[in-house]
Amino acid sequence: MTCVEGGDEALAQLCAALESGKPYGLVLTDMHMPGMDGFALVERIRERPELSTATIMMLTSAGHRGDAARCQELGVSAYLLKPIRQSELREAVARVLGAKEQKARFR
């Protein structure tokens, strides 16, 4: 697990992991980050097909009208409201990763 301060650092870590042959399978981002919000980060990830294989989940403390639809457009697997219990987050991660695994099996 790697924690970073903001979107630019997240992109750098994603690229470094890819170059090392160990790309991240899951990105958990926050809607409200310094410098670059969660949507901007996801858009930047989606612009690079080699980074787009990661499952993306987004956390937010204040949902706004249209956020869920925008997440769907960007291929965000889960949109979760904070505060969130550890058990709820664990279940959500298992659900999205399990769904991705099942989808890959049936191709």
Side-chain angles (χ1 to χ4, degrees), residues 46 54-58 71 74-79 96-97 100:
R46 296 302 186 216
T55 298
I56 300 175
M57 299 174 68
M58 188 172 305
C71 281
L74 291 170
V76 173
S77 298
Y79 178 69
V96 299
L97 292 180
K100 185 174 184 175

Side-chain angles (χ1 to χ4, degrees), residues 77-96:
S77 298
Y79 178 69
L80 307 165
L81 292 174
K82 297 187 298 184
I84 186 167
R85 286 191 216 115
Q86 184 177 359
S87 60
E88 293 170 330
L89 181 58
R90 188 174 33 248
E91 286 175 22
V93 168
R95 187 173 52 250
V96 299

Side-chain angles (χ1 to χ4, degrees), residues 30-48:
D30 196 303
M31 174 74 76
H32 306 285
M33 297 183 295
M36 180 188 305
D37 71 14
F39 282 132
L41 173 60
V42 175
E43 287 170 351
R44 299 271 303 275
I45 291 170
R46 296 302 186 216
E47 289 171 359
R48 305 211 28 208

Side-chain angles (χ1 to χ4, degrees), residues 3 13 17 21 29 41-42 47 49 52 66-67 72 78-79 82-83 85 99 107:
C3 296
Q13 286 291 327
T29 186
L41 173 60
V42 175
E47 289 171 359
S52 286
D67 283 354
Q72 190 171 10
Y79 178 69
K82 297 187 298 184
R85 286 191 216 115
R107 283 190 177 172

